């Protein structure tokens, strides 16, 4: 049986215990050192004394299973775990600084700052979900930031791993979590939908921009169940200067049904990073809560208040990628641009929740002073945005699934690669190099993007019948 306590100076599996840095409701945190590890470390030990909540043990088991399987900058590195037969523990890297909870005294934050913070958290969630994990306890005290700026998610005791047994689901009937941030479907026993984390992030963003939690502080299960049929007060009711684009995002995150929220955390991060491209709906101007007739219809609609069937997390994430089509709308061959549209249409036809980002690079000279207007006096940037939308119009996409981007850059390939990395693009579609002696010697944009991109790349050539025409400039360059 595990020991009820740990003292400074004790040595556990080569880790020397230092001071206790935190005592929580379910575990304690100790600073530790190891002769073979130079980085600062923390040892997390569950509370297992008489009278402690048994859920603390189960949630710690979940954390022990999940943490060693995670990697990347958005989670703490795990350096070891201890067996319950001797001493249960997990050793993780010690992230410098404080959690986001330390900023509660500054609320409400400026809209732009809060959106930037939420965008970093959404990016961290996108990375976590790709690793088959739903956090289920997104709140200020579960979020830290590295000195380099990335959000780090901590405390995985309530998490769900799509490929591991869900001990909390198997052993307890009541939902565990932090009441003000808990998604409605969690109250129905649903733990396998990654959009639950988006709801929690929506609560955090609402709180950080208004200073008020959208569902209050109720801890009773009865009070929490109201969010199955009652929507929050729109932020613009509390703050008249609330940006419509931000209210659109927040209220979409807080939709009762997961299917009405953003399809993925990556798409949410994309919108937070491109506020001028957010498609505004009636949500953005709302000043009142839903009418009582709508509330009653939800209240007595069994479909909204009954448990859902299990979902396929992997299939859900695959169905909602971000697809970027890079094309030259000014000098690109019409046959190639048509081939790019056909390819995009085929990809989107199988992905009903995908987002399409149409991308064009306005190439700048290395030493020349570039003019923003063309020979006719038209703004080049705006003209290209209009042409991108015209190119995409035959696809007949819902507005919230389409964005257009004109990037000014000296190096088109580098600009495309940077856009894909920053915006977590899953698939790039780009035109192939056209026949040209210069391109043969110097390479092409498409070849470099295909070689260096961290995602899937489809290189498109025009149909063979359209290839017998004079040499054209390489698409985008």
């Amino acid at each position: 049986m595990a020991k009820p306590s740990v003292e400074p100076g004790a040595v556990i599996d080569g880790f020397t215990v230092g001071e206790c840095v935190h005592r929580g409701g379910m575990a304690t945190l100790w600073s530790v050192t190891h002769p073979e590890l130079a980085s600062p470390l923390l040892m997390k030990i569950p509370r297992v004394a008489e009278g402690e909540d048994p859920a603390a043990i189960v949630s710690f088991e979940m954390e022990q299973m999940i943490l060693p399987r995670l990697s990347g900058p958005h989670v703490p590195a795990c350096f070891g775990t201890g067996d319950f037969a001797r001493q249960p523990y997990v050793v993780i890297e010690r992230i410098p600084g404080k959690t986001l909870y330390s900023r509660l005294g500054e609320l409400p934050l400026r809209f732009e700052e809060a959106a930037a913070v939420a965008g970093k958290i959404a990016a961290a969630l996108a990375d976590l979900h790709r690793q088959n994990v739903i956090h289920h306890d997104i709140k200020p005290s579960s979020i830290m930031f590295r000195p380099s700026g990335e959000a780090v998610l901590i405390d995985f005791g309530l998490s769900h791993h799509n490929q591991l047994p869900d001990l909390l689901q198997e052993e307890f009937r009541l939902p565990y979590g932090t009441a003000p941030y808990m998604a409605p479907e969690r109250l129905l026993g649903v733990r396998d939908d990654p959009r639950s984390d988006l709801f929690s992030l929506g609560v955090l963003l609402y709180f950080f921009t208004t200073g008020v939690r959208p569902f209050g502080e109720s801890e009773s299960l009865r009070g929490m169940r109201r969010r199955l049929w009652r929507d929050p007060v729109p932020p613009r009711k509390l703050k008249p200067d609330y940006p419509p684009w931000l209210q659109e995002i927040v209220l979409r995150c807080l939709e009762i049904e997961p299917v009405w929220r953003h399809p993925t955390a990556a798409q949410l991060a994309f919108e937070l990073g491109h506020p001028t491209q957010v498609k505004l709906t009636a949500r953005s101007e709302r000043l009142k809560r839903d009418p009582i007739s709508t509330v009653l219809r939800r209240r007595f609609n069994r479909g909204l208040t009954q448990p859902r069937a299990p979902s396929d997390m992997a299939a859900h994430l695959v169905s909602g990628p971000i697809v970027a089509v890079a094309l030259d709308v000014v000098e690109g061959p019409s046959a190639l641009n048509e081939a790019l549209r056909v390819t995009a249409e085929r990809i989107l036809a199988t992905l009903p929740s995908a987002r399409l980002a149409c991308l064009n690079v306005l190439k700048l000279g290395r030493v020349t002073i570039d003019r923003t207007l063309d020979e006719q006096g038209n703004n080049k940037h705006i003209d290209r945005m209009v042409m991108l939308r015209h190119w995409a119009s035959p696809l007949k996409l819902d507005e919230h699934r389409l964005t257009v981007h004109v990037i000014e850059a000296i190096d088109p390939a580098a600009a495309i690669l940077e856009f894909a990395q920053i915006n977590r693009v899953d698939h790039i579609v780009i035109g192939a190099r056209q026949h040209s002696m210069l391109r043969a010697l110097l390479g092409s944009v498409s070849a470099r993007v295909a070689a260096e991109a961290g995602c899937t790349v489809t290189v498109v050539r025009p149909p063979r019948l359209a290839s017998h025409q004079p040499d054209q400039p390489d698409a985008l360059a």
Side-chain angles (χ1 to χ4, degrees), residues 307-388:
R308 278 75 160 173
S311 66
D312 188 332
M313 178 177 171
H316 166 77
L317 295 178
V318 168
S319 70
I322 298 175
V323 180
V325 176
L327 66 153
D328 186 345
V329 289
V330 177
E331 298 179 336
S334 59
L336 178 58
N337 286 344
E338 177 61 26
L340 285 165
R341 182 164 49 233
V342 170
T343 301
E345 186 173 26
R346 290 172 177 169
I347 294 172
L348 295 172
T350 62
L351 301 167
S353 298
R355 174 188 288 274
L356 180 67
C358 299
L359 176 64
N360 176 260
V361 179
L362 181 58
K363 195 169 187 289
L364 303 178
R366 293 184 182 274
V367 294
T368 59
I369 299 176
D370 295 279
R371 296 173 58 87
T372 58
L373 303 181
D374 61 19
E375 295 178 356
Q376 288 74 40
N378 300 317
N379 185 287
K380 296 179 183 179
H381 194 105
I382 294 176
D383 279 354
R384 293 190 181 206
M385 291 181 67
V386 172
M387 286 188 280
L388 285 172

Side-chain angles (χ1 to χ4, degrees), residues 184 188 225-230 256-257 259-260 292-308:
L188 304 176
R225 286 185 65 86
R226 292 194 187 99
R227 69 191 62 175
L228 285 166
W229 54 81
R230 197 66 172 110
I256 294 170
E257 282 286 355
V259 71
W260 298 337
I292 191 64
S293 58
T294 301
V295 175
L296 291 175
R297 186 168 61 251
R298 292 192 191 118
R299 175 68 178 86
F300 297 104
N301 182 346
R302 292 179 60 82
L304 286 173
T305 58
Q306 295 298 311
R308 278 75 160 173

Side-chain angles (χ1 to χ4, degrees), residues 132-186:
N132 300 297
V133 176
I134 305 168
H135 191 279
H136 281 320
D137 201 21
I138 294 299
K139 58 184 179 181
S141 59
S142 298
I143 300 160
M144 302 184 73
F145 292 90
R146 294 190 184 278
S148 52
E150 298 96 341
V152 182
L153 307 176
I154 59 176
D155 294 338
F156 291 87
L158 303 183
S159 297
H160 168 89
H161 194 296
N162 195 44
Q163 298 173 350
L164 294 174
D166 193 334
L167 303 182
L168 285 170
Q169 183 86 323
E170 295 172 358
E171 300 184 30
F172 300 96
R173 298 191 62 181
L174 292 177
Y176 277 87
T178 305
Y181 296 89
M182 192 178 296
E185 62 273 13
R186 290 285 313 285

Side-chain angles (χ1 to χ4, degrees), residues 212-239:
V212 178
R213 289 189 175 90
F215 302 101
E217 305 288 343
S218 175
E219 295 288 342
S220 70
L221 186 59
R222 180 179 179 181
M224 291 166 59
R225 286 185 65 86
R226 292 194 187 99
R227 69 191 62 175
L228 285 166
W229 54 81
R230 197 66 172 110
D231 60 315
V233 174
R236 296 195 67 188
K237 176 69 173 179
L238 304 176
K239 296 177 71 68

